[in-house]
Amino acid sequence: MAGAAHCSLQAKRLLLDPKFEGYKLSLEPLACYQLGLDAAVAEVQLRDDQYTLDHMRAFGMYNYLHLDSWYQDNVYYVDQFGRVMNLSVTLDTALQKPREVFRLPTDLTACDNRLCASMHFSSSTWVTLSDGTGRLYLIKSGKRGSSASEKWEIVFNEELGSPFIIAHSVSFVKSEAHSLAVLLLRVEKDELDTKGSGFHVTLEWVTVAERKEGDHRYEIIKRRVLQGKSVPHYAAIEPSGDGLMIVSHKPFTFLKSESDKLEDNDDAKVSNEKKDPLYYWQQTEDDVTVTVHLPQDITKDDIKIRFSPDNICVTLKDQPPLMEGKLYSSVDHESCTWIIKEDKSLEISLIKKNEGSRWPELILGDTRGEFVMDSSQCSEIAESLMHLTSEVMNPNPEKENPPCNAQELEECDAFLEDGASLCRFDGDTLKVTHIINLGSNQYLFSVVVNPREMPCFCLRHDVDALLWQPHSDQPENMWEHIATFNALGYVQASKQDKKFMACAPDYSYAALCECLRRVFIYRQPTPLATVLYNRKEGRQVGQVAKQLVATLEANDPILGFQATSERLFVLTTKTLFLIKVNSGN
């Protein structure tokens, strides 16, 4: 990651509310509708050999309900018969039963090590689908959400190795050919990992494109694999298919193909050859001494050295200059000398014009030399830094600003992972181009606000939750702060049993659900119809943010959770619930 640009997320102050007073519990009733499913959801329980935290995050906490962001209030799930079922809502009071739009050709129960079926809506007419056995389907769906024009047709179908789930996909046109890029997530056994969990996580970036022959057939044109040691919180391909963004606790790197390894070895050889310094230099307060090792056949007559007040040029025989450039500071060029020592080395003495100044480099921009510090200089620097260190943990506790005490943090402020980072990978070089250290900005959830853009991600900033929209085509504004959910970062930390979080694409509310029954809804502050006073401060309150709680009539665990601008969809094993949160326009 040496060449990566280290960036930071810039919050918009206008979207923050430092005077937010908290949520008021509202007892207003929420309209809740439920639909019994003809067949249970195709839930896949974790096996005995899937015992790590990564298995639980990737597969145990999988969201079985899929929201089609291209069409309003359109959700899908896969049932135990391998049928892709769709519910499209236009009127809550006239709900239709979920209808079958596609049936997986394989018998799901026949595969012992299968994962849950997964899908992603790449565009308004394309869907990527996995049956959980390691097979990828690319499907042309027609316009979805209406039974008249919706017809799912398999265009590409191939076995891609061990089972995976689809993390993300995009549809784009490149070189006049339609392409789909898909991100496949696997948790695989790692025989080399003897000290850790014994598993690693891979993200395979597969690009499938229409063949040039014009027969409308598709084929894989690229397969690239990233490997890491933790399941990513967020992984998405850019709309153009040119890059990839990942939020993860531990870093991901591309696995190199054999040709890449050979190129790297050649580069390593070249860099190793360059490692030996061309010259060594030392300095005192008065002068600088430069030592250059000479080749065997060089004599005194072959050496030409030109001194000037600010420059130096050293030439051997008729070769290009060995050293040339502007010195860090001026020298007394008439007093500068050079000699050839017995060990066939050239020693150059430069007399500083400004005595006492310390040079950080000899020739400006020249990194081919190495500075050698003597022991007296080392001890002098150590002594000057002595006041910054102490052998006592807190030598002056009565000081005006004592060090931070971690014990002052509340229990809900602590979370497991505080070292997450956001990386942007380039699709051509396979290297990290941008990196953001998220530090204590805990990842909360992702949401699609505009299906033509990358998914947004929500991070905790202090007590708030801030929503960020990636813009891969805007290098100067690559991550934009688009909305704030006041105090949600703090509120969600206290919900020990939370399973899923989501928010409306219009930011009107955020919601979270527990593993069983309960759903919490947090509305954005809205103006009050009546006058309300804050008794403590004796001032009128203009708006209030409401918290609502819905309790579902179900004993089965919640398997899926999706939010739209008007309603929440909650999926259990045998029931699909609809909670009306906002009334439509």
Side-chain angles (χ1 to χ4, degrees):
M1 296 186 189
H6 285 259
C7 311
S8 58
L9 296 172
Q10 303 296 326
K12 293 180 182 174
R13 290 182 66 184
L14 290 173
L15 295 179
L16 302 175
D17 181 5
K19 294 180 178 176
F20 181 72
E21 295 180 338
Y23 292 96
K24 308 287 182 269
L25 182 63
S26 170
L27 300 177
E28 67 181 74
L30 284 165
C32 185
Y33 307 91
Q34 65 183 77
L35 285 168
L37 309 183
D38 289 340
V41 175
E43 182 187 4
V44 178
Q45 301 286 351
L46 291 180
R47 303 188 305 273
D48 290 345
D49 60 347
Q50 296 174 317
Y51 51 81
T52 68
L53 184 59
D54 286 324
H55 285 104
M56 174 55 74
R57 281 188 172 152
F59 314 129
M61 300 285 282
Y62 186 73
N63 194 337
Y64 284 86
L65 191 61
H66 307 277
L67 179 69
D68 185 352
S69 304
W70 299 88
Y71 300 94
Q72 203 172 354
D73 295 285
N74 212 28
V75 290
Y76 293 79
Y77 66 91
V78 180
D79 72 14
Q80 61 187 20
F81 298 126
R83 299 181 301 173
V84 178
M85 307 296 286
N86 161 247
L87 177 69
S88 187
V89 181
T90 47
L91 199 63
D92 297 275
T93 51
L95 290 174
Q96 306 288 322
K97 277 268 191 187
R99 62 192 179 89
E100 178 184 338
V101 293
F102 182 75
R103 190 176 293 225
L104 288 163
T106 48
D107 178 14
L108 299 186
T109 54
C111 181
D112 291 336
N113 65 334
R114 75 183 178 98
L115 301 173
C116 47
S118 56
M119 70 178 81
H120 191 268
F121 302 97
S122 318
S123 76
S124 58
T125 55
W126 285 90
V127 184
T128 50
L129 182 64
S130 160
D131 59 9
T133 68
R135 187 169 285 277
L136 176 68
Y137 298 91
L138 298 189
I139 291 167
K140 199 168 185 178
S141 63
K143 190 182 173 191
R144 298 185 294 272
S146 63
S147 53
S149 57
E150 186 168 4
K151 184 173 181 291
W152 289 36
E153 174 193 345
I154 298 172
V155 175
F156 174 89
N157 160 23
E158 198 163 309
E159 187 78 40
L160 295 180
S162 58
F164 56 82
I165 58 170
I166 296 172
H168 190 245
S169 67
V170 291
S171 166
F172 56 94
V173 175
K174 204 166 199 176
S175 306
E176 298 183 0
H178 176 244
S179 304
L180 286 117
V182 194
L183 213 50
L184 315 177
L185 173 69
R186 296 180 176 98
V187 179
E188 299 179 322
K189 193 86 178 145
D190 190 344
E191 303 298 340
L192 300 174
D193 184 9
T194 53
K195 292 182 180 175
S197 67
F199 291 87
H200 63 236
V201 178
T202 63
L203 280 169
E204 185 173 5
W205 182 359
V206 181
T207 306
V208 183
E210 191 172 8
R211 287 165 40 143
K212 294 276 197 298
E213 283 78 358
D215 55 5
H216 301 296
R217 287 176 62 188
Y218 284 72
E219 62 185 2
I220 293 175
I221 58 166
K222 233 182 241 181
R223 289 180 77 166
R224 292 153 288 184
V225 178
L226 294 108
Q227 189 172 298
K229 294 298 290 182
S230 67
V231 167
H233 298 298
Y234 171 99
I237 304 166
E238 295 172 358
S240 62
D242 293 330
L244 181 69
M245 290 188 197
I246 296 175
V247 176
S248 62
H249 174 49
K250 293 178 180 171
F252 274 78
T253 50
F254 273 98
L255 295 182
K256 297 190 181 296
S257 63
E258 288 305 313
S259 58
D260 291 338
K261 285 179 185 172
L262 289 171
E263 280 178 27
D264 278 6
N265 286 341
D266 292 341
D267 292 344
K269 282 176 189 169
V270 171
S271 63
N272 284 339
E273 286 165 13
K274 290 180 183 174
K275 265 187 183 173
D276 283 342
L278 185 66
Y279 58 88
Y280 296 88
W281 64 288
Q282 290 177 290
Q283 65 176 316
T284 64
E285 291 189 346
D286 308 317
D287 58 36
V288 175
T289 305
V290 185
T291 305
V292 183
H293 289 291
L294 297 172
Q296 287 295 325
D297 58 337
I298 295 294
T299 63
K300 186 177 179 181
D301 297 331
D302 297 326
I303 301 170
K304 288 181 183 171
I305 301 180
R306 192 171 71 249
F307 297 112
S308 67
D310 298 306
N311 289 271
I312 187 172
C313 181
V314 179
T315 311
L316 304 180
K317 279 191 177 176
D318 300 325
Q319 297 170 8
L322 185 72
M323 290 169 60
E324 184 180 33
K326 188 177 181 184
L327 295 166
Y328 175 77
S329 187
S330 299
V331 294
D332 181 359
H333 66 289
E334 291 178 353
S335 303
C336 295
T337 60
W338 62 272
I339 58 167
I340 295 178
K341 298 184 76 177
E342 292 172 8
D343 61 350
K344 288 293 286 182
S345 66
L346 170 67
E347 188 173 284
I348 304 168
S349 295
L350 305 172
I351 309 302
K352 293 181 180 178
K353 215 165 204 174
N354 304 316
E355 292 180 7
S357 66
R358 194 178 294 278
W359 292 15
E361 58 184 331
L362 178 65
I363 298 172
L364 293 176
D366 189 351
T367 57
R368 297 173 301 164
E370 186 177 299
F371 176 59
V372 181
M373 195 182 294
D374 64 34
S375 56
S376 61
Q377 288 173 321
C378 289
S379 55
E380 187 185 315
I381 290 171
E383 203 171 309
S384 68
L385 297 174
M386 208 60 175
H387 70 287
L388 300 175
T389 63
S390 170
E391 291 178 12
V392 186
M393 183 65 183
N394 186 7
N396 191 0
E398 302 303 319
K399 205 173 176 185
E400 196 175 312
N401 296 314
C404 170
N405 181 0
Q407 291 174 341
E408 291 174 1
L409 294 173
E410 293 186 39
E411 192 180 340
C412 64
D413 287 320
F415 48 90
L416 286 171
E417 298 176 347
D418 56 355
S421 61
L422 165 59
C423 295
R424 191 260 173 191
F425 290 86
D426 183 86
D428 292 326
T429 63
L430 308 186
K431 292 196 169 89
V432 176
T433 60
H434 300 75
I435 184 167
I436 296 175
N437 180 9
L438 298 179
S440 59
N441 300 131
Q442 181 190 7
Y443 176 88
L444 299 176
F445 62 90
S446 67
V447 61
V448 177
V449 168
N450 177 357
R452 286 179 177 79
E453 294 256 20
M454 297 180 77
C456 303
F457 53 85
C458 191
L459 303 176
R460 178 175 175 174
H461 285 247
D462 196 8
V463 297
D464 296 333
L466 273 55
L467 198 62
W468 300 89
Q469 173 68 68
H471 299 295
S472 56
D473 56 342
Q474 299 175 29
E476 71 293 335
N477 184 33
M478 199 167 272
W479 296 282
E480 183 189 1
H481 173 203
I482 56 170
T484 301
F485 297 102
N486 298 298
L488 186 66
Y490 184 80
V491 167
Q492 63 82 34
S494 65
K495 300 286 184 280
Q496 296 294 318
D497 294 330
K498 72 172 179 291
K499 186 170 185 181
F500 298 118
M501 285 186 75
C503 76
D506 62 0
Y507 333 127
S508 58
Y509 70 91
L512 62 88
C513 72
E514 295 184 339
C515 298
L516 277 170
R517 293 192 195 91
R518 288 203 298 175
V519 176
F520 299 88
I521 298 162
Y522 302 93
R523 291 189 189 277
Q524 292 282 20
T526 50
L528 287 164
T530 54
V531 178
L532 190 69
Y533 279 91
N534 181 320
R535 288 181 186 173
K536 271 187 184 174
E537 298 178 16
R539 61 181 180 83
Q540 188 174 328
V541 177
Q543 52 183 17
V544 69
K546 292 178 181 176
Q547 172 193 331
L548 299 96
V549 183
T551 304
L552 307 176
E553 294 176 16
N555 296 318
D556 295 321
I558 293 173
L559 298 179
F561 189 68
Q562 295 289 355
T564 68
S565 298
E566 283 188 35
R567 51 183 72 81
L568 275 168
F569 294 87
V570 188
L571 181 70
T572 67
T573 313
K574 295 169 190 162
T575 314
L576 181 56
F577 293 88
L578 280 75
I579 302 171
K580 186 81 170 175
V581 182
N582 294 323
S583 55
N585 296 334

PDB file of all heavy atoms in Angstrom, residues 372-390:
ATOM      1  N   VAL A 372      25.420   8.615   7.719  1.00  0.00           N
ATOM      2  CA  VAL A 372      25.977   7.811   8.816  1.00  0.00           C
ATOM      3  C   VAL A 372      26.153   8.732  10.015  1.00  0.00           C
ATOM      4  O   VAL A 372      26.871   9.735   9.947  1.00  0.00           O
ATOM      5  CB  VAL A 372      27.327   7.182   8.411  1.00  0.00           C
ATOM      6  CG1 VAL A 372      27.878   6.342   9.557  1.00  0.00           C
ATOM      7  CG2 VAL A 372      27.176   6.345   7.157  1.00  0.00           C
ATOM      8  N   MET A 373      25.511   8.370  11.138  1.00  0.00           N
ATOM      9  CA  MET A 373      25.556   9.215  12.339  1.00  0.00           C
ATOM     10  C   MET A 373      26.557   8.622  13.339  1.00  0.00           C
ATOM     11  O   MET A 373      26.552   7.418  13.591  1.00  0.00           O
ATOM     12  CB  MET A 373      24.158   9.254  12.965  1.00  0.00           C
ATOM     13  CG  MET A 373      23.974  10.359  13.989  1.00  0.00           C
ATOM     14  SD  MET A 373      22.310  10.321  14.728  1.00  0.00           S
ATOM     15  CE  MET A 373      21.307  10.730  13.328  1.00  0.00           C
ATOM     16  N   ASP A 374      27.408   9.445  13.901  1.00  0.00           N
ATOM     17  CA  ASP A 374      28.353   8.903  14.896  1.00  0.00           C
ATOM     18  C   ASP A 374      27.699   8.856  16.273  1.00  0.00           C
ATOM     19  O   ASP A 374      26.649   9.445  16.510  1.00  0.00           O
ATOM     20  CB  ASP A 374      29.674   9.689  14.912  1.00  0.00           C
ATOM     21  CG  ASP A 374      29.495  11.137  15.353  1.00  0.00           C
ATOM     22  OD1 ASP A 374      28.621  11.386  16.199  1.00  0.00           O
ATOM     23  OD2 ASP A 374      30.226  12.011  14.843  1.00  0.00           O
ATOM     24  N   SER A 375      28.349   8.169  17.213  1.00  0.00           N
ATOM     25  CA  SER A 375      27.749   7.894  18.530  1.00  0.00           C
ATOM     26  C   SER A 375      27.471   9.158  19.327  1.00  0.00           C
ATOM     27  O   SER A 375      26.485   9.262  20.041  1.00  0.00           O
ATOM     28  CB  SER A 375      28.648   6.952  19.338  1.00  0.00           C
ATOM     29  OG  SER A 375      29.941   7.524  19.449  1.00  0.00           O
ATOM     30  N   SER A 376      28.324  10.158  19.200  1.00  0.00           N
ATOM     31  CA  SER A 376      28.128  11.393  19.972  1.00  0.00           C
ATOM     32  C   SER A 376      26.861  12.122  19.504  1.00  0.00           C
ATOM     33  O   SER A 376      26.118  12.687  20.305  1.00  0.00           O
ATOM     34  CB  SER A 376      29.349  12.310  19.834  1.00  0.00           C
ATOM     35  OG  SER A 376      29.516  12.670  18.472  1.00  0.00           O
ATOM     36  N   GLN A 377      26.598  12.060  18.169  1.00  0.00           N
ATOM     37  CA  GLN A 377      25.380  12.691  17.647  1.00  0.00           C
ATOM     38  C   GLN A 377      24.125  11.943  18.106  1.00  0.00           C
ATOM     39  O   GLN A 377      23.103  12.554  18.411  1.00  0.00           O
ATOM     40  CB  GLN A 377      25.436  12.737  16.109  1.00  0.00           C
ATOM     41  CG  GLN A 377      26.436  13.754  15.583  1.00  0.00           C
ATOM     42  CD  GLN A 377      26.586  13.654  14.067  1.00  0.00           C
ATOM     43  OE1 GLN A 377      26.587  12.565  13.504  1.00  0.00           O
ATOM     44  NE2 GLN A 377      26.757  14.793  13.418  1.00  0.00           N
ATOM     45  N   CYS A 378      24.228  10.595  18.165  1.00  0.00           N
ATOM     46  CA  CYS A 378      23.086   9.790  18.633  1.00  0.00           C
ATOM     47  C   CYS A 378      22.709  10.151  20.062  1.00  0.00           C
ATOM     48  O   CYS A 378      21.537  10.349  20.386  1.00  0.00           O
ATOM     49  CB  CYS A 378      23.420   8.289  18.553  1.00  0.00           C
ATOM     50  SG  CYS A 378      23.507   7.685  16.872  1.00  0.00           S
ATOM     51  N   SER A 379      23.730  10.243  20.930  1.00  0.00           N
ATOM     52  CA  SER A 379      23.450  10.532  22.339  1.00  0.00           C
ATOM     53  C   SER A 379      22.934  11.965  22.516  1.00  0.00           C
ATOM     54  O   SER A 379      22.093  12.250  23.360  1.00  0.00           O
ATOM     55  CB  SER A 379      24.703  10.302  23.197  1.00  0.00           C
ATOM     56  OG  SER A 379      25.775  11.066  22.695  1.00  0.00           O
ATOM     57  N   GLU A 380      23.428  12.872  21.673  1.00  0.00           N
ATOM     58  CA  GLU A 380      22.970  14.267  21.736  1.00  0.00           C
ATOM     59  C   GLU A 380      21.479  14.374  21.380  1.00  0.00           C
ATOM     60  O   GLU A 380      20.719  15.070  22.048  1.00  0.00           O
ATOM     61  CB  GLU A 380      23.798  15.077  20.725  1.00  0.00           C
ATOM     62  CG  GLU A 380      23.574  16.581  20.786  1.00  0.00           C
ATOM     63  CD  GLU A 380      24.339  17.281  19.671  1.00  0.00           C
ATOM     64  OE1 GLU A 380      25.531  16.939  19.441  1.00  0.00           O
ATOM     65  OE2 GLU A 380      23.742  18.151  19.027  1.00  0.00           O
ATOM     66  N   ILE A 381      21.036  13.625  20.330  1.00  0.00           N
ATOM     67  CA  ILE A 381      19.621  13.635  19.927  1.00  0.00           C
ATOM     68  C   ILE A 381      18.758  12.985  21.003  1.00  0.00           C
ATOM     69  O   ILE A 381      17.680  13.475  21.353  1.00  0.00           O
ATOM     70  CB  ILE A 381      19.445  12.916  18.566  1.00  0.00           C
ATOM     71  CG1 ILE A 381      20.062  13.770  17.460  1.00  0.00           C
ATOM     72  CG2 ILE A 381      17.980  12.655  18.269  1.00  0.00           C
ATOM     73  CD1 ILE A 381      20.151  13.088  16.117  1.00  0.00           C
ATOM     74  N   ALA A 382      19.254  11.854  21.566  1.00  0.00           N
ATOM     75  CA  ALA A 382      18.497  11.160  22.615  1.00  0.00           C
ATOM     76  C   ALA A 382      18.281  12.074  23.817  1.00  0.00           C
ATOM     77  O   ALA A 382      17.202  12.111  24.411  1.00  0.00           O
ATOM     78  CB  ALA A 382      19.238   9.896  23.026  1.00  0.00           C
ATOM     79  N   GLU A 383      19.308  12.851  24.144  1.00  0.00           N
ATOM     80  CA  GLU A 383      19.214  13.755  25.294  1.00  0.00           C
ATOM     81  C   GLU A 383      18.190  14.873  25.039  1.00  0.00           C
ATOM     82  O   GLU A 383      17.425  15.260  25.924  1.00  0.00           O
ATOM     83  CB  GLU A 383      20.601  14.372  25.551  1.00  0.00           C
ATOM     84  CG  GLU A 383      20.765  14.853  26.988  1.00  0.00           C
ATOM     85  CD  GLU A 383      22.221  15.237  27.240  1.00  0.00           C
ATOM     86  OE1 GLU A 383      23.125  14.432  26.937  1.00  0.00           O
ATOM     87  OE2 GLU A 383      22.418  16.352  27.726  1.00  0.00           O
ATOM     88  N   SER A 384      18.163  15.346  23.773  1.00  0.00           N
ATOM     89  CA  SER A 384      17.228  16.443  23.454  1.00  0.00           C
ATOM     90  C   SER A 384      15.772  15.976  23.478  1.00  0.00           C
ATOM     91  O   SER A 384      14.862  16.780  23.628  1.00  0.00           O
ATOM     92  CB  SER A 384      17.571  17.023  22.079  1.00  0.00           C
ATOM     93  OG  SER A 384      17.291  16.082  21.066  1.00  0.00           O
ATOM     94  N   LEU A 385      15.544  14.644  23.324  1.00  0.00           N
ATOM     95  CA  LEU A 385      14.173  14.112  23.345  1.00  0.00           C
ATOM     96  C   LEU A 385      13.769  13.583  24.718  1.00  0.00           C
ATOM     97  O   LEU A 385      12.653  13.108  24.897  1.00  0.00           O
ATOM     98  CB  LEU A 385      14.045  12.969  22.314  1.00  0.00           C
ATOM     99  CG  LEU A 385      14.259  13.338  20.848  1.00  0.00           C
ATOM    100  CD1 LEU A 385      14.249  12.091  19.976  1.00  0.00           C
ATOM    101  CD2 LEU A 385      13.172  14.296  20.369  1.00  0.00           C
ATOM    102  N   MET A 386      14.672  13.686  25.678  1.00  0.00           N
ATOM    103  CA  MET A 386      14.461  13.103  27.002  1.00  0.00           C
ATOM    104  C   MET A 386      13.202  13.648  27.677  1.00  0.00           C
ATOM    105  O   MET A 386      12.480  12.929  28.351  1.00  0.00           O
ATOM    106  CB  MET A 386      15.692  13.404  27.850  1.00  0.00           C
ATOM    107  CG  MET A 386      15.999  12.415  28.927  1.00  0.00           C
ATOM    108  SD  MET A 386      16.292  10.757  28.351  1.00  0.00           S
ATOM    109  CE  MET A 386      16.743  10.037  29.916  1.00  0.00           C
ATOM    110  N   HIS A 387      12.929  14.947  27.473  1.00  0.00           N
ATOM    111  CA  HIS A 387      11.796  15.583  28.163  1.00  0.00           C
ATOM    112  C   HIS A 387      10.447  15.068  27.670  1.00  0.00           C
ATOM    113  O   HIS A 387       9.421  15.304  28.302  1.00  0.00           O
ATOM    114  CB  HIS A 387      11.874  17.101  28.004  1.00  0.00           C
ATOM    115  CG  HIS A 387      11.604  17.558  26.593  1.00  0.00           C
ATOM    116  ND1 HIS A 387      12.531  17.377  25.579  1.00  0.00           N
ATOM    117  CD2 HIS A 387      10.518  18.157  26.039  1.00  0.00           C
ATOM    118  CE1 HIS A 387      12.028  17.856  24.448  1.00  0.00           C
ATOM    119  NE2 HIS A 387      10.809  18.332  24.692  1.00  0.00           N
ATOM    120  N   LEU A 388      10.448  14.368  26.528  1.00  0.00           N
ATOM    121  CA  LEU A 388       9.184  13.870  25.976  1.00  0.00           C
ATOM    122  C   LEU A 388       8.819  12.486  26.501  1.00  0.00           C
ATOM    123  O   LEU A 388       7.752  11.973  26.201  1.00  0.00           O
ATOM    124  CB  LEU A 388       9.268  13.818  24.440  1.00  0.00           C
ATOM    125  CG  LEU A 388       9.537  15.150  23.733  1.00  0.00           C
ATOM    126  CD1 LEU A 388       9.726  14.927  22.247  1.00  0.00           C
ATOM    127  CD2 LEU A 388       8.382  16.120  23.977  1.00  0.00           C
ATOM    128  N   THR A 389       9.738  11.849  27.214  1.00  0.00           N
ATOM    129  CA  THR A 389       9.490  10.480  27.677  1.00  0.00           C
ATOM    130  C   THR A 389       9.572  10.393  29.191  1.00  0.00           C
ATOM    131  O   THR A 389      10.118  11.275  29.852  1.00  0.00           O
ATOM    132  CB  THR A 389      10.518   9.505  27.073  1.00  0.00           C
ATOM    133  OG1 THR A 389      11.826   9.877  27.536  1.00  0.00           O
ATOM    134  CG2 THR A 389      10.485   9.533  25.560  1.00  0.00           C
ATOM    135  N   SER A 390       8.998   9.300  29.727  1.00  0.00           N
ATOM    136  CA  SER A 390       9.034   9.081  31.169  1.00  0.00           C
ATOM    137  C   SER A 390       8.891   7.594  31.453  1.00  0.00           C
ATOM    138  O   SER A 390       8.230   6.873  30.708  1.00  0.00           O
ATOM    139  CB  SER A 390       7.890   9.842  31.837  1.00  0.00           C
ATOM    140  OG  SER A 390       7.780   9.461  33.188  1.00  0.00           O
TER     141      SER A 390
END
